[in-house]
Amino acid sequence: MLQSILALRPTTSDWIFSLKTFGASILALYIALMFDLDRPVWAMATVYIVAHPLSGVLGSKAIYRVLGTVFGAIAAVVLVPNLVNAPVLLSMALALWVGGCLFLSRLDRTPRSYVFMLAGYTAAIVGFPCVTDPGNVFATAIARCQEISLGIVCATLVSHIILPRHIGPVIATRVDGWMGDIAKLAAQSFDPASDGDAIQNDRARIAADLGELHGLALHLGYEKSRFAGRTRQLQALQSAMAALLPVFYAIYDRLTALKAQTGAVPDALSVLLGRISDFILAQQHDPKQTADLHRDITAYAKTLGSGDDWAALLQLNLCDRLHRLLDFHEDCHALWAGIRAGDVPDDVIDRWQESGGDRALHRDYGVAFRCGLTAFIATMVVCGFWVMSAWPNGATAAMMAAVGASLMSFLDNPVPALKGFIRYTAMAVGVVLIYSLVILPGIDGFPLLAMVFAPYFILLGVLITSPQTYGFALAMLVNVVMILNVGTAYSSNVAGVIGGGIASLAGFGVAAIVTAFIRVVPVDRHIRRLVRANWRDIAAIGKGKLKLGRMVMIRRLLDRQGLILPRLAMAPEHHETFLRVMPEVSIASVLYDLRRLRMVAEPALATKLDRLLANIAQHFEARLDDFTRAPDAVILSDVDHILRDVMGMPKGAAREKLLIPLVALRRTLSKDDAPDLGRYHEPTARNGQNGIMPVALIGETA
């Protein structure tokens, strides 16, 4: 930690943030002391807990914290008076509340999760100290709500009035950067000689970055920047940009297959790809040029005839992807231009709105359950010792066990962070002793109190701005405030300070131990869980049991890919597993198309498609138990047979609609060979009673 602190180079905005936060905390403390509130330090500590350099983020955290505090206080008021005569039952009820709220918090991957987590440990903070005096629980709950609200109001006012930093410009800068990354990815994907692993890493990195946009956009409703209130539009943009990623994968894959099949990419196709690449690199919103490129792609596809060989089929499939790329690219620029101008076309938003919602984010019920179970057991262990030993500081230890199990639950392995928090709490006790025994006895009045606090709080406030030093700074600030427990009159209670410090350390220690046994999931296992979640969804699509929309499902699969990427550094053996994730996104997309197309296919073909879908679903279900299971040979054989059948169909839109997903599926299943298309005879035209598919088919293969 010392190296991180020494390496930090604070900017002017970092110092301004620290000064503003200190000013807000001193204002909250002054008002709390002036009105003689019960625990003024809660107001001061709250300012640092919700502090953030961006006013929109602080505003949303503030509102969610108020809501969580109110819900937690209500729970404490309900539980403590009714169960105070049954200490074991009361402990169990409060522990269940903490664990249940943490479970809900871990299922919500938006800033709203703060409400549930805070509701959980607020009940512990209010409830446990009132066990010996249940008649005071309502007053304690009111005081907690008053002082938390006071701290939040002070922090919010100072952040929004004095040199505010809005999140809107930050989002704008990042979107511009992601647009540039998308353009570079297009240029790489159009070159079959590009490094496939590097392209895959770039796709996954962009997917992870776009997942961040979902959370950032939610804060826009809590500030007054020019992007305020445009959360829905930005989430639609996020979804449209994410939809480009599997399209880029498909384009690169078809080009590498075509080069392997024929030895080179045809000159006419290379020229067309160059024009599209230049257009995307220019990052322009030009509907006329987009329409011209669409027309040229269609013209090139017509030169391929009916696609009688594998190379022609690959190029027809590629042309379909290029059309889709231009459509998605046009929507991205229409959305971003509309967001900046304040006028986004409703039809474009409607196209992407569903896949931009929370349902497109991965939820891990297993991890959420273990988080809740950890909080429950840690709290119960401390409560059990407290009840049996009548420990005077048992309430503090129980509170800290609940808080410790909750605060770090978002980490894969919270134990190192909890150990660090324990060290920082011990250091904070030392700082409190210095203030209590050396500094505070020599001052008189609030101005001097603010002056002696300023050097320590302003210096550590700067460290909050860096992710590397945030945990250290927050622990050293909040623990000093809470343990020091400044009131309207000075009182030196060294025994109380040491006793409270030991209880806090014990609570965090129990939380760390229980977390190590129950909560910690090895990175290898976490990656496998994410991959298996994809397989379960793909199997459900094959069976027709998944009711999510196509793009919602694609976004969820891509979201999991973004979650896998940062974990690969600690589990490099899963690199090959990671490389299979994007092809599986393509399989999921194909299954959606085939399920839709089979509804209008002739009975014999529909039967074959049903068998193919069932076999694919069965394969992915089998992989849940056999992680390295290879694709079943029968699936590839079924695809080849269906391809030959479709090749024999009359030329037209129906035939093309079927060929597009089948070629994509065949290419995804086998990279090393081309299908044996056999010999077929084009049937003569017949009437609709023979089962010929109608031309009005809708197919969207990513």
Side-chain angles (χ1 to χ4, degrees):
M1 181 54 64
L2 182 60
Q3 291 180 344
S4 298
I5 295 174
L6 294 176
L8 188 65
R9 298 293 182 269
T11 63
T12 301
S13 60
D14 295 335
W15 286 107
I16 292 175
F17 163 75
S18 183
L19 287 168
K20 287 168 56 179
T21 305
F22 176 69
S25 68
I26 287 297
L27 175 63
L29 180 63
Y30 176 77
I31 295 174
L33 291 172
M34 184 174 63
F35 285 96
D36 196 22
L37 298 183
D38 185 47
R39 293 286 301 275
V41 291
W42 278 355
M44 186 178 186
T46 296
V47 173
Y48 279 98
I49 292 173
V50 302
H52 197 280
L54 300 174
S55 58
V57 177
L58 188 150
S60 67
K61 285 181 67 177
I63 291 177
Y64 295 144
R65 186 169 179 82
V66 168
L67 291 175
T69 300
V70 171
F71 293 149
I74 292 173
V77 170
V78 171
L79 294 174
V80 172
N82 292 302
L83 300 176
V84 69
N85 293 323
V88 175
L89 190 59
L90 175 59
S91 299
M92 184 176 295
L94 286 172
L96 277 173
W97 174 265
V98 174
C101 288
L102 187 58
F103 171 78
L104 295 175
S105 173
R106 291 292 288 126
L107 289 180
D108 189 340
R109 288 178 50 209
T110 71
R112 289 190 301 268
S113 64
Y114 200 41
V115 174
F116 300 109
M117 183 174 69
L118 202 66
Y121 69 71
T122 294
I125 291 175
V126 173
F128 285 126
C130 295
V131 169
T132 56
D133 186 13
N136 195 39
V137 66
F138 183 77
T140 302
I142 294 297
R144 172 80 173 166
C145 292
Q146 286 176 335
E147 288 154 1
I148 292 296
S149 299
L150 173 61
I152 285 171
V153 168
C154 291
T156 303
L157 287 176
V158 171
S159 176
H160 283 72
I161 293 175
I162 302 176
L163 301 175
R165 286 184 61 197
H166 296 304
I167 195 172
V170 174
I171 292 178
T173 300
R174 295 194 182 185
V175 171
D176 287 335
W178 291 327
M179 288 288 198
D181 291 341
I182 289 288
K184 293 176 183 177
L185 182 60
Q188 292 175 308
S189 301
F190 287 173
D191 181 5
S194 299
D195 184 349
D197 287 356
I199 294 177
Q200 172 68 358
N201 288 334
D202 287 343
R203 283 193 298 260
R205 177 181 53 79
I206 293 172
D209 290 343
L210 290 175
E212 180 186 1
L213 177 60
H214 186 280
L216 289 175
L218 291 174
H219 299 297
L220 286 173
Y222 303 90
E223 65 174 26
K224 295 300 182 182
S225 72
R226 67 190 183 101
F227 294 110
R230 299 179 192 170
T231 296
R232 188 169 67 99
Q233 293 92 328
L234 277 166
Q235 289 179 345
L237 172 62
Q238 171 206 23
S239 188
M241 293 175 71
L244 286 167
L245 300 180
V247 178
F248 282 135
Y249 162 78
I251 290 172
Y252 176 75
D253 178 78
R254 305 308 178 262
L255 286 172
T256 55
L258 181 62
K259 185 177 180 181
Q261 182 74 13
T262 63
V265 177
D267 292 340
L269 179 58
S270 295
V271 171
L272 180 59
L273 291 173
R275 290 177 55 208
I276 297 173
S277 179
D278 291 341
F279 173 65
I280 294 177
L281 283 171
Q283 300 190 51
Q284 296 176 348
H285 177 49
D286 189 345
K288 182 180 182 303
Q289 192 171 355
T290 300
D292 291 342
L293 289 171
H294 273 302
R295 186 177 59 251
D296 292 342
I297 294 170
T298 301
Y300 180 80
K302 288 181 179 179
T303 66
L304 300 172
S306 60
D308 294 342
D309 56 41
W310 185 235
L313 288 176
L314 288 171
Q315 292 179 79
L316 287 172
N317 187 277
L318 175 63
C319 288
D320 176 79
R321 298 310 187 279
L322 293 174
H323 281 304
R324 192 158 304 282
L325 169 63
L326 290 175
D327 287 339
F328 292 173
H329 178 266
E330 179 70 14
D331 279 355
C332 286
H333 281 275
L335 283 165
W336 186 221
I339 289 170
R340 286 182 293 189
D343 183 20
V344 183
D346 289 335
D347 61 325
V348 181
I349 296 178
D350 292 341
R351 227 174 358 249
W352 297 102
Q353 182 175 1
E354 183 185 13
S355 55
D358 297 344
R359 293 198 305 164
L361 300 178
H362 169 69
R363 293 180 178 179
D364 194 324
Y365 289 87
V367 169
F369 175 77
R370 282 196 296 274
C371 288
L373 183 63
T374 298
F376 171 76
I377 293 178
T379 306
M380 283 300 296
V381 167
V382 175
C383 287
F385 179 79
W386 177 23
V387 170
M388 290 186 294
S389 64
W391 185 17
N393 291 305
T396 301
M399 287 190 308
M400 292 301 103
V403 172
S406 300
L407 284 179
M408 309 299 176
S409 61
F410 64 93
L411 298 171
D412 284 349
N413 183 4
V415 174
L418 286 171
K419 289 180 178 178
F421 208 89
I422 291 171
R423 290 195 302 271
Y424 307 147
T425 300
M427 294 168 61
V429 171
V431 174
V432 168
L433 290 175
I434 294 174
Y435 267 108
S436 295
L437 301 178
V438 179
I439 300 176
L440 294 184
I443 67 170
D444 182 23
F446 190 82
L448 286 177
L449 178 67
M451 289 178 63
V452 299
F453 276 165
Y456 178 83
F457 282 84
I458 292 174
L459 286 173
L460 283 175
V462 173
L463 302 183
I464 292 180
T465 60
S466 171
Q468 287 74 29
T469 55
Y470 173 81
F472 166 77
L474 187 65
M476 293 297 293
L477 287 166
V478 173
N479 279 318
V480 165
V481 170
M482 296 302 295
I483 298 174
L484 195 58
N485 197 22
V486 174
T488 54
Y490 169 74
S491 63
S492 177
N493 184 3
V494 176
V497 169
I498 295 176
I502 292 174
S504 297
L505 293 174
F508 274 105
V510 172
I513 293 171
V514 175
T515 298
F517 279 100
I518 297 176
R519 166 68 179 85
V520 175
V521 177
V523 176
D524 169 84
R525 185 176 169 188
H526 201 106
I527 291 175
R528 287 173 177 260
R529 287 181 62 84
L530 289 167
V531 173
R532 285 192 173 101
N534 275 359
W535 294 345
R536 277 191 293 270
D537 285 341
I538 293 173
I541 297 170
K543 290 182 173 181
K545 294 183 177 180
L546 197 65
K547 303 305 180 184
L548 290 177
R550 179 177 176 278
M551 284 310 304
V552 175
M553 190 67 254
I554 299 303
R555 280 280 294 110
R556 183 179 293 182
L557 298 178
L558 290 172
D559 180 56
R560 292 183 185 130
Q561 186 183 52
L563 295 175
I564 291 173
L565 179 63
R567 295 176 168 91
L568 282 181
M570 295 176 284
E573 68 276 10
H574 276 289
H575 182 68
E576 291 300 322
T577 301
F578 175 67
L579 293 179
R580 291 203 305 266
V581 174
M582 185 59 80
E584 289 166 357
V585 175
S586 179
I587 291 176
S589 177
V590 166
L591 294 183
Y592 272 102
D593 290 338
L594 293 180
R595 291 211 66 85
R596 183 165 49 242
L597 292 169
R598 67 158 302 282
M599 301 295 292
V600 290
E602 61 180 3
L605 183 59
T607 300
K608 292 182 179 181
L609 289 173
D610 286 340
R611 184 171 64 245
L612 174 63
L613 292 167
N615 285 336
I616 293 176
Q618 185 178 14
H619 165 70
F620 280 101
E621 285 182 333
R623 290 178 72 177
L624 297 175
D625 298 320
D626 184 1
F627 195 81
T628 59
R629 181 185 178 94
D632 298 329
V634 67
I635 297 176
L636 193 61
S637 176
D638 285 348
V639 173
D640 286 350
H641 280 94
I642 295 173
L643 259 176
R644 285 195 289 270
D645 289 346
V646 176
M647 291 285 287
M649 290 174 58
K651 297 177 184 178
R655 180 176 182 269
E656 183 179 339
K657 292 292 185 182
L658 273 168
L659 284 176
I660 288 170
L662 288 171
V663 171
L665 181 59
R666 180 56 170 77
R667 176 62 189 164
T668 305
L669 292 174
S670 178
K671 303 288 188 183
D672 301 326
D673 65 343
D676 179 12
L677 298 178
R679 302 181 64 85
Y680 63 89
H681 299 282
E682 182 176 322
T684 58
R686 290 167 287 184
N687 59 33
Q689 294 180 350
N690 69 344
I692 294 178
M693 296 174 60
V695 297
L697 298 177
I698 300 174
E700 298 179 358
T701 306

